[in-house]
């Protein structure tokens, strides 16, 4: 009886690692659980290393601040099949030294998020552009080290880019953004928010070259005016979302045609804003017949 029970006992590590555990079980576990699992035994440590060497997605957004830079390098040292890499919460420790080897050995990356990684430099963006020619989605929000030359390098080598977030990349001016618009014709989502250097010239160049644009964020672009919004309405029939909050030179005259196409705009129409303010003052919303 004991022999029969022993024969029926199957430990999880007895299952085929690369055919069963890696593709069908470990891929559903959060990264923090995998890191903890490494500490259970030598066998589990070896299993997790096999998983990390074969994973397609590596997302540190939930545990980034608590990951030692040495652990990051160790986890990805054998991986050359990554498709997606998220480092958006690793600003406290990630530098070019840690990132460049990972980028260099993962030429199939399609999605990279380096948002708020203030310890990086333009060399990381140049490395991404030279190594990841199939890149489709890139996050660079609040990376003030992004400059014109590195963005031009990206545009030259990653023409298939579909979305890019360059919010608060304050070194960038119209010339670099226009150059990117002429090279990256497949852009569907673009954020130029919080950049006082952005003018109508950038918006018009994006509109005329990226006809499939669906989402555009111009929040806080103080020099953008009605002229470029009208151009956007004319050349981008697929536009679904437009953010123009704090764009004080953009008025309802240019936004109304987009509203009629059901484009989602983050600024309420003037009458609606007035009603909200009135409600705040009076404590209730007065009835107004809008059909008069």
């Amino acid at each position: 009886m004991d022999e029969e029970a022993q024969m029926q006992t199957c430990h999880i590590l007895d299952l085929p690692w690369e055919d069963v555990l890696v593709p069908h079980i470990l891929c559903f576990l959060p990264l923090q659980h995998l890191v903890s699992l490494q500490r259970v035994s030598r066998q589990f440590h070896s299993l997790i290393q096999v998983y990390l060497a074969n994973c397609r997605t590596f997302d540190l957004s939930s545990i980034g601040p608590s990951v030692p830079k040495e652990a990051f390098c160790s986890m990805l040292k054998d991986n050359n099949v990554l498709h997606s890499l998220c480092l958006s919460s690793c600003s406290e420790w990630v530098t070019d030294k840690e990132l460049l080897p990972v980028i260099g050995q993962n030429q199939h990356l399609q999605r990279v998020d380096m948002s708020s990684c203030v310890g990086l430099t333009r060399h990381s963006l140049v490395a991404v552009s030279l190594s990841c020619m199939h890149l489709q989605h890139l996050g660079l929000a609040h990376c003030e080290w992004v400059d014109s030359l590195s963005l031009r390098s990206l545009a030259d080598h990653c023409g298939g880019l579909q979305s890019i977030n360059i919010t608060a990349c304050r070194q960038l001016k119209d010339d670099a953004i226009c150059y990117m618009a002429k090279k990256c014709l497949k852009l569907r989502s673009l954020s130029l928010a919080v950049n006082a250097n952005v003018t109508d010239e950038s918006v018009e160049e994006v509109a005329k070259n990226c006809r499939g644009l669906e989402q555009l964020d111009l929040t806080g672009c103080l020099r953008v005016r009605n002229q470029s919004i009208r151009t956007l309405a004319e050349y981008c029939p697929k536009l679904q979302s437009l953010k123009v909050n704090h764009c004080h030179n953009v008025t309802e005259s240019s936004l109304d045609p987009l509203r009629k196409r059901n484009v989602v705009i983050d600024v309420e129409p003037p009458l609606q804003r007035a009603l909200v303010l009135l409600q705040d003052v009076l404590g209730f919303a007065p009835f107004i017949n809008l059909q008069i």
Side-chain angles (χ1 to χ4, degrees):
M1 190 69 179
D2 292 339
E3 292 183 4
E4 183 179 348
Q6 188 175 1
M7 291 178 62
Q8 292 178 352
T9 301
C10 179
H11 297 285
I12 188 171
L13 291 173
D14 294 331
L15 296 173
W17 289 11
E18 295 189 17
D19 294 331
V20 177
L21 293 180
V22 169
H24 300 293
I25 296 179
L26 296 183
C27 62
F28 293 105
L29 295 180
L31 186 59
Q32 59 264 41
H33 292 175
L34 295 172
V35 172
S36 299
L37 202 57
Q38 272 189 310
R39 307 189 188 110
V40 173
S41 68
R42 290 182 179 179
Q43 275 190 298
F44 270 109
H45 182 274
S46 299
L47 171 61
I48 302 306
Q49 284 301 122
V50 171
Y51 168 78
L52 291 171
N54 291 277
C55 68
R56 303 296 179 92
T57 299
F58 193 79
D59 186 350
L60 286 176
S61 58
S62 60
I63 61 171
S66 61
V67 175
K69 62 175 66 177
E70 297 80 7
F72 170 76
C73 298
S74 175
M75 285 189 285
L76 291 181
K77 63 183 176 63
D78 298 320
N79 191 308
N80 58 11
V81 295
L82 275 181
H83 284 184
S84 177
L85 176 64
C86 179
L87 302 172
S88 58
S89 64
C90 304
S91 60
E92 295 181 4
W93 55 265
V94 70
T95 67
D96 292 344
K97 182 180 178 181
E98 290 77 43
L99 184 57
L100 290 178
V102 175
I103 297 298
Q105 67 192 33
N106 283 281
Q107 300 181 3
H108 302 289
L109 277 166
Q110 298 176 9
R111 182 185 297 270
V112 177
D113 190 353
M114 300 184 283
S115 298
S116 301
C117 290
V118 296
L120 298 177
T121 72
R122 61 185 301 275
H123 297 296
S124 286
L125 181 53
V126 172
V128 168
S129 65
L130 295 177
S131 298
C132 311
M133 304 180 105
H134 303 291
L135 192 68
Q136 297 179 6
H137 308 279
L138 181 61
L140 294 169
H142 304 283
C143 294
E144 297 200 22
W145 44 264
V146 177
D147 60 8
S148 175
L149 289 177
S150 56
L151 191 71
R152 285 172 178 263
S153 175
L154 178 75
D156 284 334
H157 297 94
C158 300
L161 203 63
Q162 295 180 19
S163 69
I164 182 170
N165 187 339
I166 44 179
T167 295
C169 293
R170 296 185 178 90
Q171 288 195 57
L172 298 178
K173 298 181 180 179
D174 282 334
D175 59 339
I177 297 169
C178 291
Y179 187 86
M180 179 184 67
K182 293 174 182 177
K183 294 282 187 175
C184 301
L185 306 181
K186 297 181 180 180
L187 274 179
R188 293 184 301 171
S189 177
L190 172 63
S191 176
L192 303 173
V194 199
N195 188 342
N197 296 320
V198 174
T199 73
D200 285 342
E201 183 181 355
S202 288
V203 180
E204 291 190 351
E205 205 65 49
V206 168
K208 292 176 181 178
N209 289 280
C210 307
R211 305 290 183 92
L213 195 67
E214 297 174 1
Q215 299 175 333
L216 179 62
D217 188 349
L218 299 172
T219 302
C221 295
L222 303 178
R223 299 172 65 188
V224 172
R225 301 174 182 273
N226 284 330
Q227 175 185 341
S228 60
I229 302 301
R230 294 191 182 99
T231 303
L232 190 68
E234 178 181 356
Y235 285 93
C236 297
K238 296 182 180 180
L239 192 68
Q240 299 175 6
S241 170
L242 175 63
K243 294 183 178 181
V244 289
N245 200 18
H246 303 299
C247 296
H248 303 302
N249 294 313
V250 174
T251 65
E252 190 61 22
S253 64
S254 63
L255 296 176
D256 184 61
L258 291 171
R259 293 191 199 277
K260 292 177 179 177
R261 285 167 34 189
N262 296 319
V263 175
V264 177
I265 300 174
D266 65 338
V267 175
E268 296 288 350
L271 180 57
Q272 187 66 35
R273 289 203 299 272
L275 288 176
V276 171
L277 290 173
L278 192 57
Q279 182 177 0
D280 290 341
V281 172
L282 299 178
F284 64 92
F287 174 76
I288 299 178
N289 188 350
L290 299 179
Q291 295 181 346
I292 295 178

